[in-house]
Amino acid sequence: EADIYQTPRYLVIGTGKKITLECSQTMGHDKMYWYQQDPGMELHLIHYSYGVNSTEKGDLSSESTVSRIRTEHFPLTLESARPSHTSQYLCASSESGWYNEQFFGPGTRLTVL
Amino acid sequence: AQSVTQPDIHITVSEGASLELRCNYSYGATPYLFWYVQSPGQGLQLLLKYFSGDTLVQGIKGFEAEFKRSQSSFNLRKPSVHWSDAAEYFCAVGVNEKLTFGTGTRLTIIP
């Protein structure tokens, strides 16, 4: 059973607000990822981290930022939310050695009004 | 750059019938291939993966997939579907420690 958690599960906010989406895993995985998923669309990698103090941008450009101060925690922040940020955000983690499977959290569905 | 195509957006099958979900990939070298399943409101769960060796891969929940290099395909199969198999299915290719996903196939099961 994968132990990766995301909070909140659902978030509805107004334009211009600052938000942080939380992601935590208890498996001690070095690698963590953030994906953006629109309805009926594939997942797009927006950020990833190979360990503490390591963050990289993914294939899809995103206005969000991430940090990795602790192994288990990989929060995503939007400084000023806009309606175009409305989407589902999925967090994942994996052991080092990319052939290992990625474990996914349940996702956060964000709606910006 | 690598890419994944899942040509079927939505498939409907009867409970107990067999299932095949198609996946085609584009990548210059030997790919690492995955199938994930996503139930409504949930994250993704790995069904199976192919790295090398036997081209027929067994996964969880009675699923299997066959890698065919000549066709650049990695189709997912199940001999008899259950109502609980209704979900979204994603094929993915792994390159340079990152996954590229297809657009998914939504599976509906009818009694």
Side-chain angles (χ1 to χ4, degrees), chain B residues 14-16 78 80-87 89 107-111:
Chain B
S14 298
E15 190 170 13
K78 187 171 185 177
S80 176
V81 298
H82 186 262
W83 64 266
S84 60
D85 293 325
Y89 291 80
L107 176 63
T108 298
I109 309 295
I110 56 176

Side-chain angles (χ1 to χ4, degrees), chain A residues 31-50:
Chain A
K31 295 181 180 178
M32 296 189 74
Y33 310 82
W34 276 105
Y35 293 88
Q36 184 173 338
Q37 182 185 28
D38 293 321
M41 304 291 286
E42 66 264 47
L43 284 74
H44 290 286
L45 181 67
I46 53 175
H47 298 283
Y48 59 100
S49 167
Y50 288 160

Side-chain angles (χ1 to χ4, degrees), chain A residues 31 33 50 94-102, chain B residues 27 30-34 36 49-51 93-99:
Chain A
K31 295 181 180 178
Y33 310 82
Y50 288 160
S94 69
E95 295 180 357
S96 293
W98 70 271
Y99 47 84
N100 290 307
E101 70 173 282
Q102 291 186 18
Chain B
Y27 182 58
T30 300
Y32 297 93
L33 297 162
F34 306 80
Y36 281 85
K49 58 190 176 187
Y50 171 78
F51 296 142
V93 59
V95 177
N96 295 331
E97 303 186 65
K98 294 184 286 184
L99 294 177

Side-chain angles (χ1 to χ4, degrees), chain B:
Chain B
Q2 68 278 3
S3 66
V4 177
T5 301
Q6 294 181 249
D8 303 307
I9 296 174
H10 188 197
I11 285 183
T12 300
V13 299
S14 298
E15 190 170 13
S18 63
L19 170 71
E20 182 170 31
L21 302 182
R22 295 183 291 166
C23 172
N24 292 97
Y25 67 90
S26 173
Y27 182 58
T30 300
Y32 297 93
L33 297 162
F34 306 80
W35 273 101
Y36 281 85
V37 60
Q38 184 179 33
S39 298
Q42 301 297 315
L44 276 70
Q45 181 183 22
L46 181 69
L47 286 175
L48 46 79
K49 58 190 176 187
Y50 171 78
F51 296 142
S52 64
D54 193 346
T55 56
L56 185 63
V57 180
Q58 301 297 320
I60 62 171
K61 304 185 179 185
F63 285 93
E64 66 178 25
E66 186 172 13
F67 170 61
K68 293 185 177 180
R69 185 187 302 276
S70 62
Q71 299 177 20
S72 298
S73 69
F74 188 55
N75 294 348
L76 182 71
R77 299 195 295 251
K78 187 171 185 177
S80 176
V81 298
H82 186 262
W83 64 266
S84 60
D85 293 325
E88 190 91 17
Y89 291 80
F90 292 92
C91 182
V93 59
V95 177
N96 295 331
E97 303 186 65
K98 294 184 286 184
L99 294 177
T100 297
F101 287 87
T103 52
T105 297
R106 178 172 297 176
L107 176 63
T108 298
I109 309 295
I110 56 176

Side-chain angles (χ1 to χ4, degrees), chain A residues 79-96:
Chain A
E79 290 293 333
S80 180
R82 295 204 299 269
S84 61
H85 296 139
T86 294
S87 188
Q88 170 147 277
Y89 294 85
L90 290 167
C91 180
S93 71
S94 69
E95 295 180 357
S96 293

Side-chain angles (χ1 to χ4, degrees), chain A residues 12-85:
Chain A
V12 180
I13 61 166
T15 297
K17 299 292 186 183
K18 178 181 178 179
I19 62 167
T20 296
L21 307 184
E22 302 288 349
C23 175
S24 295
Q25 50 95 5
T26 59
M27 298 171 283
H29 288 169
D30 288 327
K31 295 181 180 178
M32 296 189 74
Y33 310 82
W34 276 105
Y35 293 88
Q36 184 173 338
Q37 182 185 28
D38 293 321
M41 304 291 286
E42 66 264 47
L43 284 74
H44 290 286
L45 181 67
I46 53 175
H47 298 283
Y48 59 100
S49 167
Y50 288 160
V52 171
N53 295 324
S54 154
T55 61
E56 301 287 343
K57 290 190 177 296
D59 302 323
L60 181 68
S61 176
S62 174
E63 295 168 345
S64 59
T65 59
V66 293
S67 63
R68 189 88 183 275
I69 299 173
R70 303 199 313 267
T71 297
E72 64 271 21
H73 197 211
F74 191 40
L76 180 145
T77 298
L78 278 166
E79 290 293 333
S80 180
R82 295 204 299 269
S84 61
H85 296 139

